[in-house]
Amino acid sequence: MARINRNYEKLPGSYLFSEIARRTAAYQEANPDARLIKMGIGDVTRPLAPAVVAAMHAAVDDLAAAETFHGYGPEQGYAFLRDAIAEHDFAARNIAIDPDEIFVSDGAKSDCGNIGDIFAEDNVVAVCDPVYPVYVDTNAMAGRAGDYDTDTERWTNIVYMPTTSENDFTPALPEVPVDLIYLCSPNNPTGTVLSREALQKWVDYANATDAVILFDAAYERFITDPAIPHSIYEIPGAKTCAIEFRSFSKTAGFTGARCGYTVVPRDLVREGQSLNAMWNRRQTTKFNGASYVIQRGAAAIYTPEGAAQVDETIDFYRANARTIKEGLAAAGLEVYGADNSPYVWCRTPNGTGSWDFFNRLLEEANVITTPGAGFGPAGEGYIRLTAFGDADDTREAVERIKRMLDAESRD
Amino acid sequence: MARINRNYEKLPGSYLFSEIARRTAAYQEANPDARLIKMGIGDVTRPLAPAVVAAMHAAVDDLAAAETFHGYGPEQGYAFLRDAIAEHDFAARNIAIDPDEIFVSDGAKSDCGNIGDIFAEDNVVAVCDPVYPVYVDTNAMAGRAGDYDTDTERWTNIVYMPTTSENDFTPALPEVPVDLIYLCSPNNPTGTVLSREALQKWVDYANATDAVILFDAAYERFITDPAIPHSIYEIPGAKTCAIEFRSFSKTAGFTGARCGYTVVPRDLVREGQSLNAMWNRRQTTKFNGASYVIQRGAAAIYTPEGAAQVDETIDFYRANARTIKEGLAAAGLEVYGADNSPYVWCRTPNGTGSWDFFNRLLEEANVITTPGAGFGPAGEGYIRLTAFGDADDTREAVERIKRMLDAESRD
């Protein structure tokens, strides 16, 4: 008799975005003339850079002729892409990462999910709260989370580190021993960043305790402050304690094209085993490499023209983020993130619950956001807005929210 | 302290193709003028079909303009592809599979590897011997294989089902209870197929014992015999006991483009849980969908012109397979497979060991094959040849092998 992985039964429903979709659809049906502006889901909208498009067309043509055809590629990614990553994302920042420490994949979500394969079931996992749900759910599936407590909305064996305005969005070191620590900077959902000093503290902690940091840098391209690290490997000691996830999704608009990569340094050893060798074995056994066409497209962002085009798109989103942050601040709201991130994290006015404020924004401003509570209990009292929309729509959404709050303050 | 998954330490080296590459490189270096013909690795060489190429170009153009841009797609695959699969791969063969029973992915290797996520660690796994190594290694990583015995070259907790000419390449039902059963037809590496009757026996066994069959149909497009099922769902009862893996790799030359799919019927329930719902949860949590560009390319093989072009390529490989089979049989070798498969499985002459025969073919015929022993102990005494090469090279390779054997018989 086949037995199932019973950890799946413990998972609560994947509620957040489906509930947003349900409420939005219900409102739109009741108000067919309302023009809703979507600032909820963190998906890009700008087209791929022309250099990327040209590279993908050329790669498709490669597959169209026997002489230039590419079959199975290296599971770890093609040298042309791994070399470009090593040079431009690391060497250019004075970080020595070898191409064979880089594993190209179909995206950071896959890697963040699959990385658990190389760790034992009995590790204690620490996450920030609020948190990108994939970190928690994948560990729950693997049996590391214990049981889900519907009262606290937390898993019994996960260590949650509140990350709120009260601690300047910099989580404190945990009071109990932890083994795997997820950090995300620039952060999803809060849009805030971890300073060099904060990261050094975590690296020192991990090295001292033989923990491993799983560092999600999917949004690093949005960093504007020169003092903020783009990679955890800018921090001395990180190579012996950290794995880093990178994505072309937000960097270069690859949410539909699919490509990312993970760095596992050769110096990262636990229980006598190289995690680089283990991840290599995992990927060569359970993965067959990212698409040749897409890897060619990704490599194009490292050309001078590709880099300039990608920067232009990032600047477009950055301008939206500024529009949102400045507009909502002017309307009297407490706003975080945005400076180094496409996400704006906004405290709800007068202690309103985040789902209640979501409803008001939907119904009174016709703007769709994401309730902070959907990212964990410490997200209650916040909403997330994203800068990935049209510039005019973004301005209009901010104006609508301002008017809504003005009208209320006059009541 | 982070603890690793210690099952990885039990894995023997991933030896087969690296050892082939090592021996080949050593020979080539010592004999720089030798023109080696590669019939070892199962990778395609013909270009993508023109309809696929056109669809991929159009999809790249979609991503090049804001109006037609596609960001995150459904993790399960786009409806345009799932609908086409349901219609052409199933309804056209009188099999009712709903699009929401189909999960599009970046390839069958990923799915074959990841499917273990939804099952408990204590399932007993049965595989054919010889076997595609991914089935075994992924279960070893998950702790289902026990320990590797270097004497028997087998894992202590895996049930091996010898699949050789002695049983007409049709494994017998196991004598001990098993829970997860990997079947592959047309088979890699033997190129042989399972009859309707053989599959019915397995489906009945699985339903009677609540086992689950993991059916790998990656090579179904090569089937020529109308009596051989293309899908396990042609067998009554299969929907309550089988998951099927399909691939565009060999069907349409997607080894470098990357796309496949997995069918998990809604009627497949174990321990009260829907495996369709569990796989959906796994994929939505740990995967972000296959590339839009590649899914558009895959959908093009279901158009009339795409289908005709793909058939032409398959016929090209089939002709190679016939050339190999007929040539080697004429040379007095015992040959299997090839009729419904791109693989030819050839018994070594006079009981020669498969690595020894590999060496002779390399050194005396300059033809690279795969030693059967690399696929498991019951593969000893066989070699695998693939039909994915150039037609002229394939003919020449066969002539060289014939000459080698003729010269030997005259000695």
PDB file of all heavy atoms in Angstrom, chain B residues 153-185:
ATOM      1  N   GLU B 153      25.811  -4.574  -6.049  1.00  0.00           N
ATOM      2  CA  GLU B 153      25.491  -3.341  -6.773  1.00  0.00           C
ATOM      3  C   GLU B 153      23.993  -3.037  -6.696  1.00  0.00           C
ATOM      4  O   GLU B 153      23.390  -2.535  -7.639  1.00  0.00           O
ATOM      5  CB  GLU B 153      25.967  -3.412  -8.226  1.00  0.00           C
ATOM      6  CG  GLU B 153      27.496  -3.532  -8.312  1.00  0.00           C
ATOM      7  CD  GLU B 153      28.003  -3.597  -9.740  1.00  0.00           C
ATOM      8  OE1 GLU B 153      27.187  -3.569 -10.660  1.00  0.00           O
ATOM      9  OE2 GLU B 153      29.235  -3.660  -9.907  1.00  0.00           O
ATOM     10  N   ARG B 154      23.430  -3.369  -5.552  1.00  0.00           N
ATOM     11  CA  ARG B 154      21.998  -3.112  -5.348  1.00  0.00           C
ATOM     12  C   ARG B 154      21.774  -2.494  -3.973  1.00  0.00           C
ATOM     13  O   ARG B 154      22.565  -2.679  -3.050  1.00  0.00           O
ATOM     14  CB  ARG B 154      21.205  -4.418  -5.453  1.00  0.00           C
ATOM     15  CG  ARG B 154      21.164  -4.933  -6.875  1.00  0.00           C
ATOM     16  CD  ARG B 154      20.375  -6.215  -6.977  1.00  0.00           C
ATOM     17  NE  ARG B 154      19.983  -6.456  -8.368  1.00  0.00           N
ATOM     18  CZ  ARG B 154      19.224  -7.466  -8.777  1.00  0.00           C
ATOM     19  NH1 ARG B 154      18.766  -8.330  -7.904  1.00  0.00           N
ATOM     20  NH2 ARG B 154      18.915  -7.594 -10.046  1.00  0.00           N
ATOM     21  N   TRP B 155      20.662  -1.753  -3.846  1.00  0.00           N
ATOM     22  CA  TRP B 155      20.260  -1.169  -2.568  1.00  0.00           C
ATOM     23  C   TRP B 155      19.456  -2.190  -1.785  1.00  0.00           C
ATOM     24  O   TRP B 155      18.627  -2.908  -2.355  1.00  0.00           O
ATOM     25  CB  TRP B 155      19.419   0.089  -2.809  1.00  0.00           C
ATOM     26  CG  TRP B 155      20.197   1.224  -3.387  1.00  0.00           C
ATOM     27  CD1 TRP B 155      20.467   1.444  -4.708  1.00  0.00           C
ATOM     28  CD2 TRP B 155      20.829   2.293  -2.678  1.00  0.00           C
ATOM     29  NE1 TRP B 155      21.220   2.584  -4.864  1.00  0.00           N
ATOM     30  CE2 TRP B 155      21.454   3.125  -3.630  1.00  0.00           C
ATOM     31  CE3 TRP B 155      20.928   2.635  -1.322  1.00  0.00           C
ATOM     32  CZ2 TRP B 155      22.165   4.279  -3.275  1.00  0.00           C
ATOM     33  CZ3 TRP B 155      21.623   3.784  -0.970  1.00  0.00           C
ATOM     34  CH2 TRP B 155      22.237   4.593  -1.936  1.00  0.00           C
ATOM     35  N   THR B 156      19.663  -2.190  -0.471  1.00  0.00           N
ATOM     36  CA  THR B 156      19.068  -3.256   0.338  1.00  0.00           C
ATOM     37  C   THR B 156      17.536  -3.203   0.388  1.00  0.00           C
ATOM     38  O   THR B 156      16.890  -4.235   0.500  1.00  0.00           O
ATOM     39  CB  THR B 156      19.616  -3.201   1.787  1.00  0.00           C
ATOM     40  OG1 THR B 156      19.471  -1.854   2.283  1.00  0.00           O
ATOM     41  CG2 THR B 156      21.085  -3.586   1.834  1.00  0.00           C
ATOM     42  N   ASN B 157      16.951  -2.003   0.299  1.00  0.00           N
ATOM     43  CA  ASN B 157      15.494  -1.918   0.445  1.00  0.00           C
ATOM     44  C   ASN B 157      14.743  -1.744  -0.881  1.00  0.00           C
ATOM     45  O   ASN B 157      13.530  -1.562  -0.867  1.00  0.00           O
ATOM     46  CB  ASN B 157      15.124  -0.749   1.371  1.00  0.00           C
ATOM     47  CG  ASN B 157      15.508  -1.022   2.813  1.00  0.00           C
ATOM     48  OD1 ASN B 157      15.992  -2.108   3.136  1.00  0.00           O
ATOM     49  ND2 ASN B 157      15.296  -0.044   3.679  1.00  0.00           N
ATOM     50  N   ILE B 158      15.460  -1.751  -1.981  1.00  0.00           N
ATOM     51  CA  ILE B 158      14.788  -1.646  -3.287  1.00  0.00           C
ATOM     52  C   ILE B 158      14.505  -3.062  -3.791  1.00  0.00           C
ATOM     53  O   ILE B 158      15.346  -3.963  -3.647  1.00  0.00           O
ATOM     54  CB  ILE B 158      15.682  -0.898  -4.303  1.00  0.00           C
ATOM     55  CG1 ILE B 158      15.938   0.538  -3.829  1.00  0.00           C
ATOM     56  CG2 ILE B 158      15.105  -0.959  -5.706  1.00  0.00           C
ATOM     57  CD1 ILE B 158      15.152   1.613  -4.503  1.00  0.00           C
ATOM     58  N   VAL B 159      13.329  -3.236  -4.345  1.00  0.00           N
ATOM     59  CA  VAL B 159      12.999  -4.531  -4.956  1.00  0.00           C
ATOM     60  C   VAL B 159      13.320  -4.436  -6.443  1.00  0.00           C
ATOM     61  O   VAL B 159      12.732  -3.612  -7.161  1.00  0.00           O
ATOM     62  CB  VAL B 159      11.511  -4.882  -4.735  1.00  0.00           C
ATOM     63  CG1 VAL B 159      11.129  -6.149  -5.501  1.00  0.00           C
ATOM     64  CG2 VAL B 159      11.236  -5.042  -3.236  1.00  0.00           C
ATOM     65  N   TYR B 160      14.267  -5.239  -6.885  1.00  0.00           N
ATOM     66  CA  TYR B 160      14.690  -5.229  -8.290  1.00  0.00           C
ATOM     67  C   TYR B 160      13.969  -6.333  -9.047  1.00  0.00           C
ATOM     68  O   TYR B 160      13.922  -7.474  -8.579  1.00  0.00           O
ATOM     69  CB  TYR B 160      16.204  -5.439  -8.390  1.00  0.00           C
ATOM     70  CG  TYR B 160      17.013  -4.290  -7.839  1.00  0.00           C
ATOM     71  CD1 TYR B 160      17.318  -4.216  -6.488  1.00  0.00           C
ATOM     72  CD2 TYR B 160      17.459  -3.274  -8.674  1.00  0.00           C
ATOM     73  CE1 TYR B 160      18.056  -3.160  -5.973  1.00  0.00           C
ATOM     74  CE2 TYR B 160      18.198  -2.213  -8.173  1.00  0.00           C
ATOM     75  CZ  TYR B 160      18.493  -2.161  -6.825  1.00  0.00           C
ATOM     76  OH  TYR B 160      19.222  -1.114  -6.325  1.00  0.00           O
ATOM     77  N   MET B 161      13.452  -5.984 -10.206  1.00  0.00           N
ATOM     78  CA  MET B 161      12.727  -6.969 -11.017  1.00  0.00           C
ATOM     79  C   MET B 161      13.529  -7.199 -12.295  1.00  0.00           C
ATOM     80  O   MET B 161      13.513  -6.350 -13.200  1.00  0.00           O
ATOM     81  CB  MET B 161      11.338  -6.433 -11.343  1.00  0.00           C
ATOM     82  CG  MET B 161      10.561  -5.974 -10.108  1.00  0.00           C
ATOM     83  SD  MET B 161       8.882  -5.382 -10.453  1.00  0.00           S
ATOM     84  CE  MET B 161       9.214  -3.822 -11.280  1.00  0.00           C
ATOM     85  N   PRO B 162      14.250  -8.299 -12.385  1.00  0.00           N
ATOM     86  CA  PRO B 162      15.053  -8.543 -13.591  1.00  0.00           C
ATOM     87  C   PRO B 162      14.164  -8.507 -14.840  1.00  0.00           C
ATOM     88  O   PRO B 162      13.052  -9.049 -14.849  1.00  0.00           O
ATOM     89  CB  PRO B 162      15.634  -9.938 -13.350  1.00  0.00           C
ATOM     90  CG  PRO B 162      15.632 -10.102 -11.867  1.00  0.00           C
ATOM     91  CD  PRO B 162      14.400  -9.382 -11.399  1.00  0.00           C
ATOM     92  N   THR B 163      14.658  -7.822 -15.849  1.00  0.00           N
ATOM     93  CA  THR B 163      13.886  -7.590 -17.078  1.00  0.00           C
ATOM     94  C   THR B 163      14.848  -7.847 -18.226  1.00  0.00           C
ATOM     95  O   THR B 163      15.551  -6.953 -18.688  1.00  0.00           O
ATOM     96  CB  THR B 163      13.367  -6.140 -17.093  1.00  0.00           C
ATOM     97  OG1 THR B 163      12.744  -5.856 -15.828  1.00  0.00           O
ATOM     98  CG2 THR B 163      12.351  -5.922 -18.179  1.00  0.00           C
ATOM     99  N   THR B 164      14.881  -9.107 -18.628  1.00  0.00           N
ATOM    100  CA  THR B 164      15.895  -9.540 -19.588  1.00  0.00           C
ATOM    101  C   THR B 164      15.257 -10.396 -20.665  1.00  0.00           C
ATOM    102  O   THR B 164      14.040 -10.653 -20.631  1.00  0.00           O
ATOM    103  CB  THR B 164      16.972 -10.379 -18.863  1.00  0.00           C
ATOM    104  OG1 THR B 164      16.331 -11.551 -18.315  1.00  0.00           O
ATOM    105  CG2 THR B 164      17.634  -9.598 -17.736  1.00  0.00           C
ATOM    106  N   SER B 165      16.071 -10.862 -21.586  1.00  0.00           N
ATOM    107  CA  SER B 165      15.523 -11.694 -22.659  1.00  0.00           C
ATOM    108  C   SER B 165      14.913 -12.973 -22.083  1.00  0.00           C
ATOM    109  O   SER B 165      13.984 -13.531 -22.666  1.00  0.00           O
ATOM    110  CB  SER B 165      16.610 -12.019 -23.681  1.00  0.00           C
ATOM    111  OG  SER B 165      17.652 -12.745 -23.065  1.00  0.00           O
ATOM    112  N   GLU B 166      15.407 -13.417 -20.905  1.00  0.00           N
ATOM    113  CA  GLU B 166      14.882 -14.649 -20.307  1.00  0.00           C
ATOM    114  C   GLU B 166      13.388 -14.537 -19.976  1.00  0.00           C
ATOM    115  O   GLU B 166      12.670 -15.534 -20.008  1.00  0.00           O
ATOM    116  CB  GLU B 166      15.664 -15.007 -19.026  1.00  0.00           C
ATOM    117  CG  GLU B 166      17.003 -15.679 -19.279  1.00  0.00           C
ATOM    118  CD  GLU B 166      18.034 -14.742 -19.901  1.00  0.00           C
ATOM    119  OE1 GLU B 166      17.985 -13.515 -19.620  1.00  0.00           O
ATOM    120  OE2 GLU B 166      18.880 -15.207 -20.694  1.00  0.00           O
ATOM    121  N   ASN B 167      12.933 -13.345 -19.604  1.00  0.00           N
ATOM    122  CA  ASN B 167      11.485 -13.191 -19.345  1.00  0.00           C
ATOM    123  C   ASN B 167      10.833 -12.281 -20.384  1.00  0.00           C
ATOM    124  O   ASN B 167       9.825 -11.633 -20.107  1.00  0.00           O
ATOM    125  CB  ASN B 167      11.207 -12.727 -17.904  1.00  0.00           C
ATOM    126  CG  ASN B 167      11.858 -11.382 -17.570  1.00  0.00           C
ATOM    127  OD1 ASN B 167      12.325 -10.669 -18.456  1.00  0.00           O
ATOM    128  ND2 ASN B 167      11.877 -11.025 -16.293  1.00  0.00           N
ATOM    129  N   ASP B 168      11.420 -12.246 -21.571  1.00  0.00           N
ATOM    130  CA  ASP B 168      10.874 -11.457 -22.676  1.00  0.00           C
ATOM    131  C   ASP B 168      10.727  -9.983 -22.267  1.00  0.00           C
ATOM    132  O   ASP B 168       9.821  -9.289 -22.714  1.00  0.00           O
ATOM    133  CB  ASP B 168       9.527 -12.034 -23.130  1.00  0.00           C
ATOM    134  CG  ASP B 168       9.162 -11.571 -24.528  1.00  0.00           C
ATOM    135  OD1 ASP B 168      10.071 -11.149 -25.286  1.00  0.00           O
ATOM    136  OD2 ASP B 168       7.953 -11.574 -24.851  1.00  0.00           O
ATOM    137  N   PHE B 169      11.637  -9.513 -21.413  1.00  0.00           N
ATOM    138  CA  PHE B 169      11.654  -8.118 -20.961  1.00  0.00           C
ATOM    139  C   PHE B 169      10.332  -7.687 -20.315  1.00  0.00           C
ATOM    140  O   PHE B 169       9.943  -6.531 -20.381  1.00  0.00           O
ATOM    141  CB  PHE B 169      12.045  -7.182 -22.108  1.00  0.00           C
ATOM    142  CG  PHE B 169      13.431  -7.455 -22.627  1.00  0.00           C
ATOM    143  CD1 PHE B 169      13.635  -8.265 -23.746  1.00  0.00           C
ATOM    144  CD2 PHE B 169      14.539  -6.944 -21.979  1.00  0.00           C
ATOM    145  CE1 PHE B 169      14.919  -8.550 -24.210  1.00  0.00           C
ATOM    146  CE2 PHE B 169      15.825  -7.224 -22.435  1.00  0.00           C
ATOM    147  CZ  PHE B 169      16.018  -8.025 -23.556  1.00  0.00           C
ATOM    148  N   THR B 170       9.659  -8.655 -19.705  1.00  0.00           N
ATOM    149  CA  THR B 170       8.407  -8.379 -18.997  1.00  0.00           C
ATOM    150  C   THR B 170       8.583  -8.846 -17.562  1.00  0.00           C
ATOM    151  O   THR B 170       8.581 -10.048 -17.294  1.00  0.00           O
ATOM    152  CB  THR B 170       7.240  -9.128 -19.668  1.00  0.00           C
ATOM    153  OG1 THR B 170       7.150  -8.687 -21.023  1.00  0.00           O
ATOM    154  CG2 THR B 170       5.942  -8.848 -18.952  1.00  0.00           C
ATOM    155  N   PRO B 171       8.763  -7.904 -16.634  1.00  0.00           N
ATOM    156  CA  PRO B 171       9.070  -8.303 -15.259  1.00  0.00           C
ATOM    157  C   PRO B 171       7.895  -9.052 -14.624  1.00  0.00           C
ATOM    158  O   PRO B 171       6.732  -8.732 -14.876  1.00  0.00           O
ATOM    159  CB  PRO B 171       9.339  -6.977 -14.549  1.00  0.00           C
ATOM    160  CG  PRO B 171       8.618  -5.957 -15.354  1.00  0.00           C
ATOM    161  CD  PRO B 171       8.675  -6.437 -16.773  1.00  0.00           C
ATOM    162  N   ALA B 172       8.236 -10.027 -13.796  1.00  0.00           N
ATOM    163  CA  ALA B 172       7.206 -10.752 -13.043  1.00  0.00           C
ATOM    164  C   ALA B 172       6.740  -9.904 -11.870  1.00  0.00           C
ATOM    165  O   ALA B 172       7.470  -9.046 -11.377  1.00  0.00           O
ATOM    166  CB  ALA B 172       7.793 -12.069 -12.537  1.00  0.00           C
ATOM    167  N   LEU B 173       5.513 -10.138 -11.413  1.00  0.00           N
ATOM    168  CA  LEU B 173       5.036  -9.472 -10.196  1.00  0.00           C
ATOM    169  C   LEU B 173       5.974  -9.844  -9.051  1.00  0.00           C
ATOM    170  O   LEU B 173       6.445 -10.974  -8.971  1.00  0.00           O
ATOM    171  CB  LEU B 173       3.602  -9.923  -9.876  1.00  0.00           C
ATOM    172  CG  LEU B 173       2.530  -9.487 -10.874  1.00  0.00           C
ATOM    173  CD1 LEU B 173       1.181 -10.091 -10.479  1.00  0.00           C
ATOM    174  CD2 LEU B 173       2.415  -7.967 -10.942  1.00  0.00           C
ATOM    175  N   PRO B 174       6.242  -8.884  -8.166  1.00  0.00           N
ATOM    176  CA  PRO B 174       7.217  -9.162  -7.104  1.00  0.00           C
ATOM    177  C   PRO B 174       6.673 -10.177  -6.096  1.00  0.00           C
ATOM    178  O   PRO B 174       5.459 -10.279  -5.889  1.00  0.00           O
ATOM    179  CB  PRO B 174       7.431  -7.796  -6.463  1.00  0.00           C
ATOM    180  CG  PRO B 174       6.216  -7.015  -6.810  1.00  0.00           C
ATOM    181  CD  PRO B 174       5.718  -7.522  -8.118  1.00  0.00           C
ATOM    182  N   GLU B 175       7.584 -10.882  -5.451  1.00  0.00           N
ATOM    183  CA  GLU B 175       7.172 -11.897  -4.472  1.00  0.00           C
ATOM    184  C   GLU B 175       6.971 -11.292  -3.091  1.00  0.00           C
ATOM    185  O   GLU B 175       6.383 -11.928  -2.219  1.00  0.00           O
ATOM    186  CB  GLU B 175       8.233 -13.008  -4.424  1.00  0.00           C
ATOM    187  CG  GLU B 175       8.168 -13.875  -5.679  1.00  0.00           C
ATOM    188  CD  GLU B 175       9.414 -14.726  -5.873  1.00  0.00           C
ATOM    189  OE1 GLU B 175      10.200 -14.843  -4.915  1.00  0.00           O
ATOM    190  OE2 GLU B 175       9.588 -15.246  -6.996  1.00  0.00           O
ATOM    191  N   VAL B 176       7.483 -10.090  -2.895  1.00  0.00           N
ATOM    192  CA  VAL B 176       7.270  -9.393  -1.620  1.00  0.00           C
ATOM    193  C   VAL B 176       6.384  -8.183  -1.894  1.00  0.00           C
ATOM    194  O   VAL B 176       6.335  -7.694  -3.020  1.00  0.00           O
ATOM    195  CB  VAL B 176       8.612  -8.933  -1.003  1.00  0.00           C
ATOM    196  CG1 VAL B 176       9.461 -10.133  -0.625  1.00  0.00           C
ATOM    197  CG2 VAL B 176       9.361  -8.032  -1.971  1.00  0.00           C
ATOM    198  N   PRO B 177       5.664  -7.705  -0.872  1.00  0.00           N
ATOM    199  CA  PRO B 177       4.790  -6.544  -1.116  1.00  0.00           C
ATOM    200  C   PRO B 177       5.617  -5.310  -1.488  1.00  0.00           C
ATOM    201  O   PRO B 177       6.655  -5.047  -0.879  1.00  0.00           O
ATOM    202  CB  PRO B 177       4.094  -6.324   0.229  1.00  0.00           C
ATOM    203  CG  PRO B 177       4.290  -7.592   0.998  1.00  0.00           C
ATOM    204  CD  PRO B 177       5.566  -8.189   0.515  1.00  0.00           C
ATOM    205  N   VAL B 178       5.162  -4.569  -2.476  1.00  0.00           N
ATOM    206  CA  VAL B 178       5.814  -3.316  -2.866  1.00  0.00           C
ATOM    207  C   VAL B 178       4.749  -2.226  -2.946  1.00  0.00           C
ATOM    208  O   VAL B 178       3.559  -2.510  -3.116  1.00  0.00           O
ATOM    209  CB  VAL B 178       6.568  -3.445  -4.210  1.00  0.00           C
ATOM    210  CG1 VAL B 178       7.668  -4.499  -4.132  1.00  0.00           C
ATOM    211  CG2 VAL B 178       5.610  -3.724  -5.361  1.00  0.00           C
ATOM    212  N   ASP B 179       5.182  -0.971  -2.824  1.00  0.00           N
ATOM    213  CA  ASP B 179       4.227   0.142  -2.725  1.00  0.00           C
ATOM    214  C   ASP B 179       4.290   1.090  -3.915  1.00  0.00           C
ATOM    215  O   ASP B 179       3.282   1.614  -4.364  1.00  0.00           O
ATOM    216  CB  ASP B 179       4.514   0.925  -1.448  1.00  0.00           C
ATOM    217  CG  ASP B 179       4.557   0.023  -0.227  1.00  0.00           C
ATOM    218  OD1 ASP B 179       3.590  -0.742  -0.046  1.00  0.00           O
ATOM    219  OD2 ASP B 179       5.549   0.071   0.517  1.00  0.00           O
ATOM    220  N   LEU B 180       5.492   1.350  -4.376  1.00  0.00           N
ATOM    221  CA  LEU B 180       5.681   2.249  -5.521  1.00  0.00           C
ATOM    222  C   LEU B 180       6.427   1.461  -6.593  1.00  0.00           C
ATOM    223  O   LEU B 180       7.506   0.919  -6.330  1.00  0.00           O
ATOM    224  CB  LEU B 180       6.512   3.480  -5.120  1.00  0.00           C
ATOM    225  CG  LEU B 180       5.947   4.362  -4.010  1.00  0.00           C
ATOM    226  CD1 LEU B 180       6.939   5.488  -3.674  1.00  0.00           C
ATOM    227  CD2 LEU B 180       4.608   4.970  -4.425  1.00  0.00           C
ATOM    228  N   ILE B 181       5.842   1.408  -7.791  1.00  0.00           N
ATOM    229  CA  ILE B 181       6.382   0.557  -8.850  1.00  0.00           C
ATOM    230  C   ILE B 181       6.712   1.425 -10.058  1.00  0.00           C
ATOM    231  O   ILE B 181       5.814   2.039 -10.652  1.00  0.00           O
ATOM    232  CB  ILE B 181       5.338  -0.503  -9.272  1.00  0.00           C
ATOM    233  CG1 ILE B 181       4.935  -1.358  -8.069  1.00  0.00           C
ATOM    234  CG2 ILE B 181       5.875  -1.359 -10.424  1.00  0.00           C
ATOM    235  CD1 ILE B 181       3.534  -1.932  -8.182  1.00  0.00           C
ATOM    236  N   TYR B 182       7.973   1.491 -10.414  1.00  0.00           N
ATOM    237  CA  TYR B 182       8.381   2.238 -11.606  1.00  0.00           C
ATOM    238  C   TYR B 182       8.344   1.314 -12.812  1.00  0.00           C
ATOM    239  O   TYR B 182       9.010   0.261 -12.822  1.00  0.00           O
ATOM    240  CB  TYR B 182       9.799   2.782 -11.440  1.00  0.00           C
ATOM    241  CG  TYR B 182       9.911   3.930 -10.460  1.00  0.00           C
ATOM    242  CD1 TYR B 182      10.036   3.704  -9.100  1.00  0.00           C
ATOM    243  CD2 TYR B 182       9.894   5.245 -10.913  1.00  0.00           C
ATOM    244  CE1 TYR B 182      10.140   4.757  -8.201  1.00  0.00           C
ATOM    245  CE2 TYR B 182      10.004   6.308 -10.028  1.00  0.00           C
ATOM    246  CZ  TYR B 182      10.127   6.059  -8.671  1.00  0.00           C
ATOM    247  OH  TYR B 182      10.222   7.110  -7.794  1.00  0.00           O
ATOM    248  N   LEU B 183       7.587   1.704 -13.825  1.00  0.00           N
ATOM    249  CA  LEU B 183       7.573   0.980 -15.097  1.00  0.00           C
ATOM    250  C   LEU B 183       7.877   1.989 -16.199  1.00  0.00           C
ATOM    251  O   LEU B 183       7.433   3.144 -16.132  1.00  0.00           O
ATOM    252  CB  LEU B 183       6.213   0.319 -15.351  1.00  0.00           C
ATOM    253  CG  LEU B 183       5.781  -0.769 -14.355  1.00  0.00           C
ATOM    254  CD1 LEU B 183       4.358  -1.234 -14.688  1.00  0.00           C
ATOM    255  CD2 LEU B 183       6.747  -1.959 -14.376  1.00  0.00           C
ATOM    256  N   CYS B 184       8.595   1.561 -17.212  1.00  0.00           N
ATOM    257  CA  CYS B 184       8.980   2.442 -18.307  1.00  0.00           C
ATOM    258  C   CYS B 184       8.777   1.682 -19.613  1.00  0.00           C
ATOM    259  O   CYS B 184       9.435   0.659 -19.829  1.00  0.00           O
ATOM    260  CB  CYS B 184      10.445   2.854 -18.139  1.00  0.00           C
ATOM    261  SG  CYS B 184      11.111   3.887 -19.467  1.00  0.00           S
ATOM    262  N   SER B 185       7.850   2.160 -20.442  1.00  0.00           N
ATOM    263  CA  SER B 185       7.582   1.487 -21.716  1.00  0.00           C
ATOM    264  C   SER B 185       7.184   2.532 -22.749  1.00  0.00           C
ATOM    265  O   SER B 185       6.247   3.292 -22.492  1.00  0.00           O
ATOM    266  CB  SER B 185       6.461   0.448 -21.549  1.00  0.00           C
ATOM    267  OG  SER B 185       6.111  -0.116 -22.793  1.00  0.00           O
TER     268      SER B 185
END
